[in-house]
Amino acid sequence: QVQLVESGGGLVQPGGSLRLSCAASGSIFSLNVMGWYRQAPGQQRELVAEITRAGSTTYVDSVKGRFTISGSISWAMLYLQMNSLKLDDTAVYYCSGRGSREYWGQGTQVTVSS
C-alpha cells in the first residue's frame, strides 16, 4: 500500500507562485510514475505533469513553461512549482503514484483570484 499526502495549496493572485509538495510512504518501490492531477468544479480531472524514475517529465500543454515537476520517487518526495498562475489554474490538485496499481492523495486546494 502507498499513502500520498499533499501540502502547499492556498490562495494566490494571478501571476503569483506556489510550490506544492507530496510526501509518499508505504511500498514506494512499487511505483513507476508519480505526478500531479487537478480537478476544477464541474470539470473532469486532468493530468498536469508526471515524472518517471528515470527523470523523464511530461506536462499538459496549458502549463508548459510555467509549471515544473521535480522530486524523487525513490526518496518519496514530489514537488510542483507553479509560476505565473492564471485564474484557470484554480482547482484541487492531487498527487498520484502508479505502478501495478494507482494511488491518490486527498488533494490540496489552489485558488487563483484577485
Side-chain angles (χ1 to χ4, degrees):
Q1 188 64 255
V2 174
Q3 296 80 43
L4 304 170
V5 180
E6 306 96 336
S7 63
L11 176 64
V12 64
Q13 294 183 349
S17 298
L18 283 174
R19 183 177 174 86
L20 304 183
S21 299
C22 175
S25 61
S27 301
I28 302 168
F29 65 89
S30 68
L31 300 178
N32 298 315
V33 181
M34 293 188 70
W36 293 93
Y37 286 72
R38 67 185 180 186
Q39 186 169 25
Q43 303 293 323
Q44 296 183 14
R45 186 175 298 186
E46 68 171 348
L47 174 67
V48 178
E50 285 189 328
I51 186 169
T52 69
R53 283 186 175 271
S56 298
T57 59
T58 58
Y59 298 88
V60 66
D61 286 344
S62 61
V63 309
K64 288 181 178 178
R66 300 188 298 118
F67 291 10
T68 302
I69 187 171
S70 63
S72 171
I73 295 175
S74 61
W75 290 0
M77 59 182 184
L78 185 70
Y79 306 98
L80 184 68
Q81 179 65 46
M82 305 185 294
N83 298 326
S84 302
L85 283 162
K86 303 176 180 179
L87 297 181
D88 288 346
D89 295 320
T90 295
V92 177
Y93 284 71
Y94 298 90
C95 181
S96 71
R98 185 170 71 252
S100 59
R101 297 182 178 182
E102 191 170 28
Y103 303 91
W104 300 89
Q106 64 180 4
T108 185
Q109 177 71 48
V110 172
T111 302
V112 184
S113 176
S114 60

